[in-house]
Amino acid sequence: MATFIPPLEDLRRACVGNGELGMARDLFQSLLKAIIAPSSLQNEAKDRIMQIKAQLKENPKISDIVLDVIWLETSMIETENGKSTYPEPLIDLLKSLVRDIPTLHGPLLEILDASLLKMIGIAESEPDLQKKIRLTNTQQYYRQHKFNLLVEESEGFAKFLYTVCMLLNDRQIVNRNERGSAILLRLIGTFSLDPNRCLDILLDVLDRELEAVNSNVSNKSTTSGSPSTDDYPRLKRLLQLINGMPLDKLPALLAFKLGRCQDINRILCSSAFLVLHEVLNLSEFLTWLPEWADVLESAYNATKKEERETVKAMGRVKLSSASSKNTDEQAKGVDLSSLNNHPATRLILLLLRWNQFSLVEGLFQPYWSMICCLFPDTFGCLICDVVMDSLNEMLKGEQQALWTKQSQLKPESALSMEEILLTSVQKLEYTRDSGCIVLRPGLYCKICRLLAGVLVKERPSEEFINFLRSFILPSLGLFKSHPSFSQEVWKIIEHFPYQTRYSLYSSWRGIGLERNAILSDKPLWLIQGEILAGKDARHALKRLSKDTIRDACRAIAKVCHSHPLVVFSTILGQIESYDNLVQVMVDALRFATPLSLDVLAYCILGRLDGTGGGVNRSRLKDDGVNVSQWLQSLESFIGALYKHFPALELGGIMAYLMERVSTGHVMELGVLRMLLKESGGWAFADYAPAASLSSTQLEGRAGSTLLKRETMSFGVFQRFNKKASASVRRVLLNDDIGVKLLVLLSQLPNQIIFETKGKPSKPVKLIGNLVDTCQVTTSMLLGFLTDASHDNTSSDSATQGANDISSFAKSLPSLLALHDEYELDVASAWMLVRPLLRSKVALSTGDNSSEVVSTAVRPPDLSQEFKDSMLSRKISKHMSFSLFEYFYSFTLYDVCCPEDIYKSEIDRLEKEEERINRQKSSFPLTTTHGRPNLESDDAGELARVKNTGALLAADLKNQKVNVASCKEAIASKAGFFFAPEINLREAASLFFCACVYPRCMKGPDDALYCARFVLLLHSLQVPGFSTMHLLDILTVATSKSLFGLTEGEAANVSILLNELWMTVSKWRYDENEFNSGLGGKVGSKMVDEGDNSSGEITSISYQQFIQMYNKWHAAIGMTALGCLNSKEYIHARNALIVLTRMVGSFPTRPRLANKLLSDLQPMQDENFPFADLRASAQAYSIQLLKARDEGVWKEESAEAVKARLSKEKAAAAARQKKAEEQMEQLKLDSEKITEEIGEKESWGRGERRGPYRSLGLDDSRAARGNGSGVAVSDSRSTHSTPPIAKDRVVSNHRDATGSTRDDSRAAKDRVPTARNDPPSSLSGTPPAARRESEQDSRARGLEGRWQKAPNAEPNNRGAKRSRPPSPADPGEIIQEDGGRNKRPRPDTDDSRHQVADDSRKGYPRRRRR
């Protein structure tokens, strides 16, 4: 190493604290080399060391390094003539260090040479020093010490023990520790006593003292704890004496005593006491004990292996009870006695009982979880007690604040989140795998309340959430059937958003449930609890029905409190398989806690996206078109659940639907539809399928919301939960979820149809269904979000409705933005903003809601940019923007009023009110004879009926005013709708393409609106509007479009065509109607476009209209025939939808009608592949024939009608004749079979089974009593049967006195001798009475089968029933007391069934068994 002088800063930095010891050694070695080596740097190096003399004095470690360097360098100095030569700078340095740092005197004396010691002044004489060194080495290393155990040392030990006792009792020297220890040390030196034996004596004394203290504590029955030296002065004095002894051999001595002592508790108590007072080093003491960690790990592994096998065996089916007993006998558990008796285990346990967990926590950090799993009742509970004591100590006087009803701490007394977590988290994590928190429920409850209290004023940290995830939620499974713990946990996590809660539930669930979680890191006790909860849940669900729901729902709720994930996974799995369980399951959750219901919402979301079971399930059936059963059942359950529990979290499902729709997946839109229908109470808005809408329903959709409710359900009121409806609306309005869904749904149809690149091809029917689903859902969602009434007339509801409309308007982009930025078509964009126009009038004028709505619809200034975006320049040349705006702004509610529907519904409600009042008056007010009190049941219904009728009357009045004002507004602008001197056909074509056709596709309401708006323009005789041209274009275009429409769009087209065709048909077949409705008006003008035409605009005549009608009729008919003959499913389906809707007005020409009937024949064949098309074709054929009979085929000639009727009459007669012949043949066959049975009726049966059923003993034909004890035969028996003796059926009856007499012997005389005797020989009853009884039996119908029979004799032996009885089993006799008797077998040995000898001729003899 080169000689150099290190900088002073480096030396000082190396001397600070521990510093860099290696660097300090190198620096000092360089300095000392510079001092020893003869150079000019000697004095500078010496001065540099002197400058850091203070640091050497303060830091012992640096001093040791300096001493090592001095020893090394001085020993390497070369000697001359046996003596070393030391440089003067080195001697001066050493003298200065000895003088200024006295602590270096002793170390230098040990390491330096004698001559150098003399030079620096430590040793006066070198020979004397050498002599003392030899004496010291001899005494220390070579002389053998011997102890006399017989005389001197025995006396010394006795005096030592006596002195110890005197010191313990002398109160005057308590504080003079040094003197007591000095006395003991002097005795050891005087008698040459072994110090270890003396220390052993002190330890024995300590054992006796601690034993006395513990016995005193036990007698006083105080709580366990470490002995305090303040309470026991003798222990304090003894501890002072022990501290004064040499303690380097103390750990070994205690370990030696433990190995040779019978009662190790005393030694462990002393050891724990010494550890507690820092006399004994615990880690060093444990090294002298037998190996403990290996024993602990082996026991832990064995225990876990056995527990895992036990958990695995819980799900196995044991077929043999003996084998199960043997298995139970073999599973004796792991032997933990060796570990339990280990000194280390007992020492730790003792320290824990003394509340000294902090002393041992760090030392046994890796083993606490194992210890708690092996000994949960002791170690686990003690750790829990430590946490409880720590919390109580921190709370002190605030303990009462924890147990208030609000379960929250006062702000000024609440602990901080950091304090609670620091006190609890790590310690409770030790006990997690053991589950010992179940033994301390108070601690669990207190921690939950503390955490809930701190969340009021602090935001949760990541450590807080992890504690919930790892300990709080899993530990809930330990507290079975206890709802209070579930409530406490819910008070914590209810403050979190659903994303955090669902993340916690996901961690709680892990990779699986029950047996699927065995390979996970879940605690085994949790897996075992899940398995047992699953068994209990399935056991309860097996017995779940409407009759047992009260008991079953309690059983389900008990399991839900602790293991909701398991229960709801099982429930959802069964619901997906059996949809009839939906409502029963919802009712069964009435006792579920809020936490359980929130977990249910998470489980539903998991089932939808596949993470909660059923991974990779197809959302379509095997046909690839229809929605799968599991998804349909789940949709129904979601709707019913959120209707019954409005407070249930809905944000998660809405976010999931948003994510699915944004990626183009629409299979889950049924969930949104069910939520709107069931929970939102918007079922009346679901018009799908539109083809099934009746005329009343369709007309009712032109009225108010209330009228729609009444007509869509045919007067059946569907109750809905207003709280649930408000909850769904609130979720949809929050964060603009509803508006986002509307925009996405409006974009989806084009994506489904056109964006197919990189995606598998879909069936055409599936594409059509998806497009229709998007359209229906959009319509329902839009109506739900923009409904201002909220089905209530209160002021609060109206105010809330206005606020919701205003919120919707603020969220909705402007009309221009919807069209340009979001790329919605014109009809879709106007559809979204149209409800705001009606709401603008209804909103209050006291706020800026009206301005918000107006701005959302269109710019206030109606700029040219806005007009150009909506209409092309070509359209704007022929049609004004005002017509465009009026057409898209108004709704069906604004252009027509269904007054007849209003009045019919009001009349129906009045009749319903009368019925309820009449029903109330027919029953008493009180309940008698089991009758319910109908007044209380019908009070709510009566009020609803009255209120609904009054509201409908008010709606009718308001709608009339609204329709009049709208028509007036249209009429005022009608003259400016079309530009003057335009091409009428071009204008009609542009109006159809820009307005009528796009809006017609949006739904049945819009289709009907388009038809009514066209007729309105025709009635107003709008200049430039040619109704004939529009009808010509519309009829041909819409009919041809059937080849490219979905089923829903075809239904919309059918409504448009039917509404217009009914008017056209009137004009065609009634010239007066033509003249009053069309002839000579503006709408009748057409441009002459023939080959030789001049292009003039003229009004068409009636004959010309007939020609146009025939053209349109043929166009629709040819398109329908082409669709029916097409091989594509959707073509035929669309044609049937349109034809079925128009069957009342089309076709009117018999040639086309007959052609349709003939083309429908192949579709009605049983071998036709599409069952739904076959049913639709059969239904339409029947309706078409009915329409023919009702005169819809107006052009059918009288001769053709007459010929058809005669042909049908002849066919009916032929069918009647054929039926009579078949009946006659059937009667002959029946008689023939009867004869054959009469000849061979006993073959193979004989005495074993008795007579055949034809003898009258069949259940359905058994003879019955007529009320007077006389048997009456069943009138339904058409063939002749042998008569049966009265005693064969009626064994006994009561006479006038009520006594029972046996008529069996007398009956023998009345038994017929021939098989073909008339039935009148059954008894002495006159034939007329018997016929009257038979007529009675016919009038009763089936009731005659269950006639009461006389009681059987007590000694009768009936045959054993081979099947369980049913409530109306003909094999049973209903007794008068309501009980049932089995009918006796006819082959039993009973006098009631004796038959005369002459009647048994030709029969095999009866054999007795």
Side-chain angles (χ1 to χ4, degrees):
M1 182 180 293
T3 303
F4 73 98
I5 306 299
L8 181 62
E9 291 76 9
D10 293 346
L11 287 171
R12 288 179 175 175
R13 186 165 55 253
C15 295
V16 175
N18 292 334
E20 295 291 339
L21 301 182
M23 184 180 69
R25 181 178 289 102
D26 294 340
L27 294 177
F28 283 111
Q29 192 170 358
S30 299
L31 285 175
L32 211 57
K33 282 181 178 296
I35 295 174
I36 295 174
S39 65
S40 60
L41 301 177
Q42 287 181 336
N43 294 327
E44 184 181 357
K46 183 187 71 171
D47 296 338
R48 188 63 52 85
I49 292 180
M50 299 301 292
Q51 290 174 356
I52 62 171
K53 195 186 307 181
Q55 285 79 1
L56 296 177
K57 186 176 181 181
E58 295 174 357
N59 196 335
K61 291 186 178 181
I62 302 299
S63 300
D64 293 340
I65 291 175
V66 172
L67 292 173
D68 292 340
V69 173
I70 292 174
W71 170 80
L72 179 62
E73 295 297 333
T74 55
S75 62
M76 295 175 65
I77 294 177
E78 297 180 357
T79 60
E80 296 180 2
N81 300 323
K83 292 186 179 181
S84 300
T85 304
Y86 301 100
E88 289 297 329
L90 177 61
I91 296 172
D92 295 340
L93 175 63
L94 293 177
K95 288 182 178 180
S96 177
L97 292 177
V98 171
R99 182 177 63 251
D100 297 334
I101 306 177
T103 55
L104 296 179
H105 185 277
L108 289 175
L109 187 62
E110 296 177 1
I111 65 175
L112 296 182
D113 187 58
S115 59
L116 184 56
L117 289 175
K118 181 179 180 181
M119 292 179 186
I120 63 176
I122 295 180
E124 296 180 356
S125 175
E126 183 178 354
D128 295 339
L129 181 60
Q130 292 291 348
K131 184 178 180 181
K132 288 183 178 180
I133 291 174
R134 286 193 296 271
L135 290 175
T136 302
N137 291 335
T138 303
Q139 180 71 17
Q140 183 173 359
Y141 298 109
Y142 305 114
R143 178 174 294 178
Q144 183 177 4
H145 294 274
K146 295 182 180 180
F147 300 96
N148 189 346
L149 302 180
L150 298 177
V151 185
E152 293 89 355
E153 292 189 359
S154 296
E155 180 182 359
F157 285 122
K159 289 186 177 182
F160 183 87
L161 180 59
Y162 174 78
T163 304
V164 169
C165 296
M166 292 298 296
L167 291 174
L168 292 180
N169 295 323
D170 188 7
R171 299 178 181 272
Q172 297 179 357
I173 59 172
V174 171
N175 297 324
R176 291 180 290 173
N177 300 331
E178 296 79 10
R179 184 175 178 182
S181 302
I183 295 172
L184 296 181
L185 292 175
R186 188 168 58 251
L187 287 174
I188 293 174
T190 302
F191 294 94
S192 298
L193 301 179
D194 186 1
N196 294 331
R197 291 196 60 190
C198 295
L199 182 59
D200 184 34
I201 293 173
L202 291 176
L203 294 177
D204 289 339
V205 174
L206 180 62
D207 293 343
R208 300 298 187 272
E209 292 292 333
L210 290 176
E211 186 177 3
V213 170
N214 291 332
S215 62
N216 187 23
V217 171
S218 301
N219 294 333
K220 293 182 179 180
S221 300
T222 58
T223 58
S224 62
S226 61
S228 174
T229 55
D230 297 334
D231 298 334
Y232 301 96
R234 291 173 61 87
L235 289 178
K236 184 177 181 180
R237 298 170 193 150
L238 184 57
L239 194 61
Q240 293 171 355
L241 296 178
I242 295 176
N243 278 323
M245 298 293 294
L247 301 177
D248 54 339
K249 299 297 190 295
L250 179 60
L253 181 59
L254 289 172
F256 179 80
K257 291 170 66 67
L258 284 172
R260 287 162 176 77
C261 182
Q262 296 295 331
D263 186 10
I264 66 173
N265 290 329
R266 295 189 299 107
I267 310 299
L268 292 177
C269 186
S270 301
S271 303
F273 183 78
L274 295 176
V275 171
L276 179 61
H277 292 87
E278 301 179 358
V279 177
L280 177 64
N281 189 342
L282 181 59
S283 60
E284 186 179 353
F285 176 57
L286 292 175
T287 59
W288 289 91
L289 297 180
E291 187 61 36
W292 176 75
D294 295 341
V295 178
L296 176 66
E297 291 179 359
S298 61
Y300 175 78
N301 294 332
T303 303
K304 283 300 176 183
K305 182 178 179 181
E306 181 181 356
E307 291 178 356
R308 195 175 301 277
E309 293 298 327
T310 303
V311 172
K312 288 181 180 179
M314 291 183 67
R316 298 173 186 164
V317 178
K318 299 178 181 178
L319 301 179
S320 174
S321 59
S323 61
S324 63
K325 290 181 180 179
N326 296 335
T327 304
D328 295 338
E329 292 176 358
Q330 293 175 2
K332 296 181 180 179
V334 179
D335 186 13
L336 301 177
S337 58
S338 60
L339 181 62
N340 190 26
N341 296 325
H342 196 281
T345 306
R346 301 178 69 172
L347 178 60
I348 298 171
L349 181 61
L350 184 59
L351 289 172
L352 288 180
R353 288 176 176 171
W354 285 0
N355 299 326
Q356 302 301 324
F357 182 73
S358 58
L359 290 177
V360 294
E361 180 180 7
L363 190 60
F364 298 95
Q365 186 82 21
Y367 307 110
W368 283 120
S369 180
M370 299 182 187
I371 297 174
C372 292
C373 289
L374 296 175
F375 306 104
D377 297 343
T378 53
F379 286 91
C381 290
L382 287 174
I383 294 177
C384 292
D385 293 340
V386 170
V387 177
M388 177 70 85
D389 295 340
S390 301
L391 292 176
N392 292 338
E393 182 66 23
M394 294 167 63
L395 292 171
K396 293 183 180 178
E398 304 297 336
Q399 186 73 11
Q400 295 299 326
L402 292 174
W403 304 99
T404 58
K405 292 183 179 180
Q406 292 78 13
S407 298
Q408 294 178 356
L409 297 175
K410 299 178 181 178
E412 64 273 13
S413 62
L415 300 176
S416 66
M417 184 179 299
E418 183 179 0
E419 291 175 338
I420 297 175
L421 297 179
L422 186 62
T423 305
S424 308
V425 171
Q426 187 59 51
K427 298 180 180 65
L428 293 179
E429 283 295 331
Y430 297 147
T431 66
R432 173 179 177 269
D433 292 341
S434 65
C436 60
I437 191 66
V438 69
L439 303 175
R440 295 294 184 268
L443 174 61
Y444 185 83
C445 188
K446 176 177 286 190
I447 291 176
C448 290
R449 296 189 177 187
L450 283 171
L451 296 178
V454 297
L455 285 178
V456 177
K457 62 176 184 177
E458 295 185 45
R459 297 186 62 181
S461 61
E462 188 66 26
E463 185 181 4
F464 183 94
I465 296 176
N466 290 334
F467 181 56
L468 294 179
R469 179 180 289 111
S470 63
F471 183 79
I472 295 296
L473 281 178
S475 298
L476 182 62
L478 293 167
F479 304 100
K480 299 179 180 179
S481 307
H482 212 307
S484 61
F485 292 97
S486 178
Q487 291 284 64
E488 296 296 341
V489 175
W490 175 246
K491 289 176 183 178
I492 301 175
I493 64 175
E494 68 177 344
H495 299 88
F496 299 151
Y498 74 88
Q499 296 91 338
T500 305
R501 298 202 306 270
Y502 289 178
S503 174
L504 293 174
Y505 301 152
S506 179
S507 301
W508 190 6
R509 187 181 189 278
I511 63 173
L513 296 172
E514 301 185 56
R515 290 175 56 85
N516 296 329
I518 291 179
L519 299 179
S520 66
D521 58 348
K522 276 187 180 181
L524 290 177
W525 55 261
L526 181 58
I527 301 175
Q528 183 178 3
E530 290 176 353
I531 294 175
L532 295 177
K535 288 184 178 180
D536 295 340
R538 287 184 283 272
H539 177 80
L541 292 176
K542 287 180 181 178
R543 289 151 180 80
L544 181 61
S545 66
K546 290 185 177 181
D547 299 331
T548 62
I549 190 170
R550 184 176 296 276
D551 297 330
C553 65
R554 287 187 171 89
I556 293 174
K558 287 181 180 179
V559 190
C560 285
H561 297 330
S562 55
H563 294 282
L565 286 168
V566 179
V567 178
F568 293 132
S569 297
T570 305
I571 288 177
L572 292 176
Q574 293 199 9
I575 287 175
E576 290 172 357
S577 302
Y578 311 101
D579 56 353
N580 57 349
L581 292 176
V582 168
Q583 193 57 46
V584 179
M585 288 296 186
V586 172
D587 295 338
L589 299 176
R590 65 182 70 175
F591 297 117
T593 60
L595 175 62
S596 300
L597 294 176
D598 196 56
V599 173
L600 175 58
Y602 162 76
C603 292
I604 291 174
L605 195 58
R607 301 294 292 194
L608 285 174
D609 64 4
T611 59
V615 184
N616 298 327
R617 294 184 297 178
S618 175
R619 289 169 170 79
L620 295 174
K621 292 183 178 179
D622 295 337
D623 57 8
V625 175
N626 299 308
V627 180
S628 60
Q629 178 63 38
W630 71 266
L631 186 55
Q632 294 182 31
S633 302
L634 199 58
E635 291 169 359
S636 302
F637 179 71
I638 291 172
L641 178 69
Y642 282 91
K643 176 183 178 181
H644 199 275
F645 300 100
L648 200 56
E649 178 62 53
L650 189 57
I653 292 181
M654 289 300 178
Y656 170 75
L657 293 177
M658 177 80 69
E659 190 271 337
R660 292 288 293 178
V661 172
S662 63
T663 55
H665 299 87
V666 295
M667 296 305 301
E668 290 85 355
L669 282 182
V671 176
L672 181 58
R673 288 177 64 180
M674 290 304 300
L675 284 172
L676 295 176
K677 290 170 61 176
E678 297 294 333
S679 304
W682 217 247
F684 67 92
D686 189 3
Y687 56 79
S692 63
L693 290 175
S694 66
S695 58
T696 302
Q697 290 176 320
L698 196 58
E699 287 290 334
R701 297 186 70 82
S704 62
T705 302
L706 187 57
L707 183 64
K708 293 178 184 178
R709 284 189 183 277
E710 296 296 324
T711 55
M712 288 297 291
S713 60
F714 299 101
V716 178
F717 177 69
Q718 298 179 354
R719 299 185 180 274
F720 64 96
N721 192 336
K722 293 183 179 180
K723 291 183 179 180
S725 178
S727 175
V728 175
R729 183 177 285 106
R730 182 178 62 255
V731 172
L732 289 172
L733 291 175
N734 288 342
D735 299 330
D736 303 336
I737 293 179
V739 174
K740 293 175 184 177
L741 282 173
L742 284 174
V743 175
L744 290 173
L745 289 174
S746 301
Q747 296 172 343
L748 270 180
N750 291 333
Q751 296 181 19
I752 296 172
I753 296 173
F754 300 109
E755 295 183 6
T756 58
K757 186 177 181 181
K759 299 180 181 179
S761 59
K762 300 177 182 177
V764 177
K765 183 178 180 181
L766 175 61
I767 294 176
N769 291 344
L770 296 180
V771 172
D772 293 340
T773 300
C774 292
Q775 190 59 52
V776 173
T777 308
T778 304
S779 176
M780 292 178 61
L781 181 59
L782 181 63
F784 180 75
L785 291 176
T786 57
D787 178 50
S789 64
H790 288 189
D791 301 293
N792 204 331
T793 58
S794 63
S795 59
D796 294 341
S797 179
T799 303
Q800 183 62 36
N803 294 335
D804 292 344
I805 291 294
S806 177
S807 176
F808 177 79
K810 292 177 181 178
S811 304
L812 186 69
S814 65
L815 182 60
L816 186 61
L818 289 173
H819 183 262
D820 294 344
E821 298 178 14
Y822 296 95
E823 299 180 354
L824 301 185
D825 59 277
V826 175
S828 299
W830 275 96
M831 178 183 178
L832 297 185
V833 301
R834 189 180 303 122
L836 300 180
L837 295 175
R838 288 185 57 193
S839 303
K840 178 182 177 181
V841 181
L843 287 174
S844 59
T845 58
D847 55 7
N848 60 348
S849 300
S850 180
E851 298 178 1
V852 171
V853 171
S854 179
T855 304
V857 175
R858 59 178 184 173
D861 58 349
L862 200 61
S863 61
Q864 187 64 36
E865 179 187 0
F866 180 78
K867 295 180 180 179
D868 294 342
S869 177
M870 293 289 106
L871 289 175
S872 65
R873 293 191 178 275
K874 181 179 179 182
I875 298 177
S876 60
K877 289 180 180 180
H878 296 79
M879 186 174 63
S880 66
F881 188 80
S882 58
L883 172 61
F884 182 81
E885 184 179 8
Y886 276 135
F887 179 82
Y888 278 109
S889 299
F890 290 131
T891 62
L892 188 59
Y893 180 86
D894 301 320
V895 297
C896 65
C897 178
E899 187 174 353
D900 295 339
I901 305 297
Y902 271 112
K903 290 182 178 180
S904 65
E905 289 298 319
I906 293 173
D907 293 341
R908 180 186 62 79
L909 291 172
E910 290 177 353
K911 293 179 181 179
E912 181 68 13
E913 182 181 352
E914 293 177 0
R915 184 193 66 80
I916 295 175
N917 289 328
R918 187 167 56 253
Q919 187 176 8
K920 287 174 57 179
S921 60
S922 63
F923 286 95
L925 298 180
T926 58
T927 302
T928 57
H929 303 291
R931 295 177 180 174
N933 189 353
L934 297 182
E935 182 180 19
S936 60
D937 296 340
D938 294 337
E941 181 65 16
L942 181 61
R944 187 197 68 82
V945 169
K946 290 181 179 179
N947 187 37
T948 304
L951 291 177
L952 285 177
D955 290 344
L956 174 60
K957 182 179 179 181
N958 295 334
Q959 188 168 358
K960 285 182 177 180
V961 175
N962 179 71
V963 170
S965 63
C966 292
K967 287 183 177 181
E968 182 180 356
I970 295 174
S972 63
K973 298 288 185 178
F976 307 98
F977 284 167
F978 294 95
E981 299 181 1
I982 60 171
N983 189 334
L984 295 181
R985 185 172 184 83
E986 184 72 15
S989 176
L990 292 176
F991 177 67
F992 172 76
C993 294
C995 296
V996 176
Y997 189 78
R999 184 166 182 181
C1000 173
M1001 296 295 109
K1002 295 303 175 184
D1005 300 7
D1006 293 302
L1008 185 59
Y1009 168 80
C1010 292
R1012 297 292 172 85
F1013 193 86
V1014 169
L1015 296 177
L1016 176 61
L1017 293 181
H1018 172 75
S1019 64
L1020 294 176
Q1021 301 191 40
V1022 177
F1025 178 69
S1026 174
T1027 308
M1028 291 302 300
H1029 275 306
L1030 180 64
L1031 290 175
D1032 187 31
I1033 296 169
L1034 184 147
T1035 305
V1036 176
T1038 53
S1039 60
K1040 300 299 182 184
S1041 67
L1042 292 181
F1043 290 95
L1045 298 179
T1046 66
E1047 295 182 29
E1049 292 171 344
N1052 299 336
V1053 169
S1054 68
I1055 294 171
L1056 175 65
L1057 284 175
N1058 181 59
E1059 191 68 19
L1060 294 176
W1061 195 258
M1062 287 190 297
T1063 303
V1064 171
S1065 182
K1066 289 180 182 178
W1067 292 343
R1068 160 66 181 82
Y1069 295 106
D1070 192 341
E1071 189 172 359
N1072 294 329
E1073 286 287 340
F1074 173 81
N1075 294 330
S1076 61
L1078 183 64
K1081 294 187 178 181
V1082 176
S1084 64
K1085 294 182 179 181
M1086 294 187 69
V1087 180
D1088 190 3
E1089 297 177 346
D1091 295 338
N1092 300 324
S1093 62
S1094 58
E1096 296 181 357
I1097 300 176
T1098 58
S1099 297
I1100 64 171
S1101 64
Y1102 182 65
Q1103 295 302 325
Q1104 292 173 330
F1105 179 75
I1106 292 176
Q1107 295 177 2
M1108 296 296 296
Y1109 177 86
N1110 293 339
K1111 171 190 173 182
W1112 300 338
H1113 193 280
I1116 298 176
M1118 292 302 294
T1119 303
L1121 291 174
C1123 290
L1124 292 177
N1125 293 319
S1126 174
K1127 295 181 180 180
E1128 286 289 341
Y1129 167 88
I1130 195 67
H1131 295 165
R1133 181 63 178 164
N1134 290 346
L1136 288 173
I1137 290 174
V1138 174
L1139 292 174
T1140 303
R1141 174 68 64 179
M1142 300 179 65
V1143 71
S1145 57
F1146 178 89
T1148 59
R1149 311 189 74 181
R1151 182 178 178 182
L1152 176 61
N1154 290 324
K1155 181 62 175 174
L1156 289 174
L1157 286 174
S1158 63
D1159 287 356
L1160 286 173
Q1161 290 299 326
M1163 300 179 64
Q1164 301 179 48
D1165 189 78
E1166 291 295 333
N1167 296 325
F1168 192 72
F1170 302 107
D1172 55 341
L1173 287 184
R1174 181 170 64 248
S1176 299
Q1178 292 172 353
Y1180 176 68
S1181 299
I1182 295 172
Q1183 294 179 23
L1184 188 58
L1185 294 175
K1186 181 181 178 182
R1188 180 197 62 185
D1189 297 338
E1190 293 176 352
V1192 177
W1193 297 9
K1194 298 183 182 297
E1195 298 186 22
E1196 188 178 19
S1197 62
E1199 293 79 5
V1201 173
K1202 185 176 180 181
R1204 176 171 52 80
L1205 292 177
S1206 62
K1207 184 178 180 180
E1208 291 178 355
K1209 186 175 181 181
R1215 288 194 301 270
Q1216 179 68 21
K1217 183 178 179 180
K1218 184 177 181 181
E1220 291 176 354
E1221 292 176 355
Q1222 289 177 348
M1223 290 298 296
E1224 187 66 24
Q1225 184 65 32
L1226 182 64
K1227 185 176 180 181
L1228 294 176
D1229 293 343
S1230 177
E1231 292 178 353
K1232 183 178 179 180
I1233 292 172
T1234 302
E1235 292 177 359
E1236 293 177 357
I1237 292 176
E1239 295 175 358
K1240 305 175 182 180
E1241 62 181 355
S1242 61
W1243 288 7
R1245 299 172 68 89
E1247 301 177 2
R1248 282 187 301 112
R1249 302 290 297 275
Y1252 273 85
R1253 292 185 178 182
S1254 60
L1255 298 179
L1257 295 180
D1258 183 44
D1259 288 346
S1260 61
R1261 293 173 181 163
R1264 296 180 296 274
N1266 61 357
S1268 60
V1270 181
V1272 179
S1273 63
D1274 195 342
S1275 61
R1276 290 172 296 172
S1277 179
T1278 58
H1279 55 273
S1280 177
T1281 57
I1284 308 301
K1286 173 184 174 183
D1287 58 311
R1288 292 285 303 273
V1289 179
V1290 182
S1291 61
N1292 51 44
H1293 62 274
R1294 297 183 183 276
D1295 56 9
T1297 61
S1299 60
T1300 303
R1301 57 186 179 88
D1302 188 1
D1303 293 339
S1304 58
R1305 293 184 179 180
K1308 289 183 179 181
D1309 300 332
R1310 296 192 296 271
V1311 173
T1313 58
R1315 291 184 55 80
N1316 296 326
D1317 283 349
S1320 59
S1321 63
L1322 288 175
S1323 65
T1325 308
R1330 210 162 40 249
R1331 285 196 299 271
E1332 183 179 355
S1333 175
E1334 292 176 0
Q1335 291 175 359
D1336 259 352
S1337 177
R1338 287 194 198 96
R1340 285 194 303 269
L1342 293 177
E1343 294 178 0
R1345 297 175 63 186
W1346 322 130
Q1347 185 79 0
K1348 273 190 178 182
N1351 296 332
E1353 290 182 359
N1355 60 352
N1356 175 46
R1357 296 184 290 112
K1360 180 179 292 186
R1361 179 177 291 275
S1362 62
R1363 57 183 174 88
S1366 61
D1369 194 338
E1372 295 178 351
I1373 298 177
I1374 309 301
Q1375 297 178 351
E1376 294 183 1
D1377 58 353
R1380 290 186 176 94
N1381 264 339
K1382 299 177 183 177
R1383 180 164 34 237
R1385 285 180 54 179
D1387 58 345
T1388 54
D1389 186 13
D1390 195 349
S1391 61
R1392 295 176 298 165
H1393 303 288
Q1394 294 177 0
V1395 183
D1397 294 335
D1398 53 352
S1399 65
R1400 297 177 57 185
K1401 292 179 180 180
Y1403 290 83
R1405 290 186 60 83
R1406 186 186 299 269
R1407 298 176 182 175
R1408 298 188 180 275
R1409 296 182 181 178

